[in-house]
Amino acid sequence: SDQLLDKDVRYHKLIWVKQLMQNYTWVFFTDCDALFLDFSIDVGRWATDDDASTTELVLTGDHGWAMNSGQFLMRNGTWAKQLLDDAMKEPKHTHGCVGNDNAAFNWLLWGDCGWKGRGKGPG
């Protein structure tokens, strides 16, 4: 997409996830260099088609980020799609930290790195 031409290549996953949501209730994204160590955890416990469930995002984090966008499970819902759209619109290096999708998600969800006026999710 033209809107991502000036962005870090890691943003492109956001468009792929949004495209997959056109055909699936849940989309799981994982980086090609991800490593799974605990196979006893069933991701299906979160990915339910129960209409009463309000869960639209299951995320992983690490020592550097509350959300590490190298792995996430996202439900095809209004809130999740808006989060993807908002992350794609984040200007490069706006917050004084790295200009990648990890930073965009973390600023939108938690207001990391002192970016004022946000941190409550999309919208």
Side-chain angles (χ1 to χ4, degrees):
S1 171
D2 289 344
Q3 71 186 37
L4 297 180
L5 289 177
D6 68 330
K7 302 251 186 192
D8 183 279
V9 71
R10 291 171 280 195
Y11 275 90
H12 292 230
K13 74 177 87 165
L14 308 181
I15 288 195
W16 300 330
V17 169
K18 194 160 181 198
Q19 287 173 343
L20 287 168
M21 284 180 165
Q22 295 174 16
N23 298 307
Y24 298 98
T25 304
W26 287 93
V27 175
F28 178 71
F29 179 86
T30 186
D31 280 345
C32 64
D33 63 348
L35 180 65
F36 293 90
L37 298 174
D38 187 349
F39 292 97
S40 68
I41 298 172
D42 180 7
V43 73
R45 73 182 193 190
W46 295 293
T48 174
D49 290 334
D50 179 4
D51 288 335
S53 174
T54 59
T55 302
E56 291 194 25
L57 174 65
V58 178
L59 54 92
T60 61
D62 60 28
H63 58 82
W65 299 99
M67 176 180 179
N68 181 326
S69 64
Q71 292 182 326
F72 59 90
L73 177 66
M74 193 169 274
R75 185 179 189 156
N76 182 354
T78 304
W79 184 90
K81 288 180 200 174
Q82 188 63 53
L83 178 63
L84 291 170
D85 287 342
D86 288 352
M88 284 187 266
K89 292 176 192 170
E90 282 296 292
K92 267 173 95 171
H93 306 292
T94 298
H95 317 289
C97 291
V98 295
N100 64 33
D101 61 310
N102 264 348
F105 277 130
N106 280 277
W107 279 297
L108 290 168
L109 293 169
W110 293 284
D112 278 0
C113 291
W115 192 42
K116 296 174 183 23
R118 294 300 276 271
K120 299 292 184 189

